[in-house]
Amino acid sequence: MEAKEKQLVQLKIEKAQRFIAEGKTLHALQFYKKIIEEHPEAIEAYFNLSLLYESLENILAAENLLSELLEENSDNNEIRLFFGHFLFRQGKWNETIEVLSFFSPNEIPLASFFIGYSHYMLLEYELARISFENFVKSGKETEFMQDAYIYLAKTHINLTNFDMALLYVKQAEVYYSNHYELHLLFAIIYYYLTMIAHAVTSIEKTLKLNKDDLSVTEWAGKIYLKSGDYKKAEKYFTKFIDESTEVSPETYSHLGITYLYTNKIKDAENYFNLALKLDPQNKVALEAVKNLEKLNQNQAASDG
């Protein structure tokens, strides 16, 4: 495209953008289509039209437009990255990976972040780890770097590599020192590393920053149970159960254990039974119920 034509296209794009600013969306759509028809090499017009479709929630039209553009320009890195980012925003994780896997980690580091996040959302944690680490190793300081450290910590938690998780969450602390999720991650990691005093300190910081997130409430219960503070464990487990729409058998079992330690045997038995109703093979609840049955039998024998 010659300089004169580029200038003409730019003027037309600016006119289309003015239509959008004035709320004349239909005019803008028609004008962008005309630009593309008359100047098929004007990539910016395709990008802007796809963004306009996206803002109108016409995702299929945007995806088809970008897919055809990439098909006709498969060697164009700018188009591939733009389309990959679009798919990423739509939560199309497999498609994001497929489109962006053409890039090497050194070529377009940002692609590694998008691929890593997509693998993470697909629960493919080892593949997520590789891509996130490729992104971090690139040394490219972008707005995504702090997120990469957070997701590396989460990924290593899911891979049960808790020492590595601690390493990455400490690096994330540079960016997120006052963010509740950072302190929650510290609490979770310390819990699994059996550094319970540290876990308590971290969960208390988390609660000060955000006491409304139910995942924080549930972890507070687990950490206080492990620390032996049964009163607080009961408080947070019951709060979680009262307010959550989905309660796992493990949480019911944890509250049952809490009640055992505070000698509320009937309450404990009720929650173990709730756990077994959801999961008849729940080991903690099965073992606890067996022990309670033996205890009741021994009590009955001694009373007789």
Side-chain angles (χ1 to χ4, degrees):
M1 194 184 294
E2 294 181 359
K4 189 174 181 180
E5 187 180 358
K6 280 184 180 179
Q7 188 176 16
L8 177 62
V9 169
Q10 193 57 43
L11 288 171
K12 289 181 177 180
I13 287 173
E14 288 172 6
K15 185 175 180 180
Q17 291 301 100
R18 283 199 297 274
F19 281 139
I20 294 172
E22 293 166 4
K24 299 175 181 177
T25 306
L26 184 58
H27 286 72
L29 279 171
Q30 293 171 339
F31 206 72
Y32 269 125
K33 287 178 181 178
K34 188 176 180 182
I35 295 171
I36 288 168
E37 184 182 337
E38 295 175 354
H39 308 278
E41 294 179 5
I43 291 172
E44 186 181 351
Y46 288 90
F47 290 173
N48 287 356
L49 179 56
S50 75
L51 292 170
L52 183 53
Y53 278 135
E54 191 177 1
S55 71
L56 295 169
E57 298 185 1
N58 193 345
I59 304 303
L60 183 59
E63 184 173 351
N64 288 340
L65 179 71
L66 293 173
S67 180
E68 289 171 12
L69 180 63
L70 181 60
E71 191 175 338
E72 293 169 6
N73 302 272
S74 58
D75 294 331
N76 188 307
N77 287 352
E78 184 184 10
I79 294 171
R80 185 172 294 280
L81 185 60
F82 188 93
F83 187 30
H85 195 185
F86 165 83
L87 292 168
F88 177 83
R89 290 197 302 275
Q90 306 315 314
K92 298 196 170 190
W93 311 123
N94 284 310
E95 293 87 343
T96 300
I97 294 165
E98 182 181 351
V99 167
L100 295 180
S101 289
F102 281 75
F103 295 122
S104 70
N106 292 329
E107 189 178 10
I108 307 287
L110 186 58
S112 290
F113 178 86
F114 292 148
I115 291 169
Y117 188 93
S118 298
H119 281 305
Y120 182 87
M121 295 303 290
L122 291 168
L123 311 183
E124 298 167 350
Y125 298 120
E126 182 58 27
L127 292 171
R129 177 193 67 78
I130 293 167
S131 291
F132 281 133
E133 287 182 355
N134 283 335
F135 175 71
V136 167
K137 286 173 187 173
S138 74
K140 187 79 172 178
E141 274 294 336
T142 73
E143 60 186 300
F144 294 99
M145 186 59 75
Q146 54 262 44
D147 292 329
Y149 287 128
I150 286 288
Y151 279 101
L152 269 168
K154 290 181 176 181
T155 298
H156 280 291
I157 288 171
N158 282 289
L159 291 170
T160 68
N161 300 329
F162 302 115
D163 287 322
M164 288 300 297
L166 184 59
L167 174 70
Y168 282 116
V169 82
K170 283 181 177 178
Q171 289 179 283
E173 192 175 14
V174 175
Y175 304 93
Y176 286 118
S177 60
N178 290 316
H179 195 279
Y180 86 93
E181 189 180 18
L182 176 88
H183 296 290
L184 177 60
L185 286 174
F186 269 118
I188 293 168
I189 294 164
Y190 286 136
Y191 174 89
Y192 284 120
L193 289 172
T194 65
M195 300 170 68
I196 303 305
H198 285 76
V200 169
T201 300
S202 294
I203 201 64
E204 287 177 350
K205 286 181 183 176
T206 310
L207 287 164
K208 284 178 182 177
L209 293 167
N210 188 339
K211 60 183 178 182
D212 298 321
D213 185 329
L214 286 177
S215 66
V216 175
T217 306
E218 185 176 25
W219 272 105
K222 291 168 72 172
I223 289 166
Y224 283 122
L225 173 59
K226 186 75 80 171
S227 73
D229 192 336
Y230 305 122
K231 186 176 180 181
K232 285 186 178 178
E234 179 185 343
K235 171 186 172 181
Y236 287 106
F237 279 136
T238 52
K239 175 179 164 60
F240 176 79
I241 289 168
D242 288 344
E243 297 180 11
S244 179
T245 55
E246 291 185 18
V247 181
S248 69
E250 287 73 23
T251 302
Y252 285 130
S253 293
H254 283 135
L255 182 52
I257 292 167
T258 303
Y259 281 133
L260 278 183
Y261 279 118
T262 54
N263 207 31
K264 297 177 181 178
I265 305 302
K266 191 62 181 175
D267 289 328
E269 195 170 7
N270 288 339
Y271 281 103
F272 289 134
N273 287 331
L274 276 172
L276 290 172
K277 188 176 180 180
L278 290 174
D279 176 16
Q281 303 305 315
N282 186 277
K283 292 181 180 179
V284 173
L286 280 171
E287 188 65 28
V289 168
K290 283 180 186 177
N291 290 335
L292 284 172
E293 286 174 354
K294 288 179 184 177
L295 182 66
N296 290 334
Q297 288 169 3
N298 291 339
Q299 185 66 44
S302 64
D303 290 345

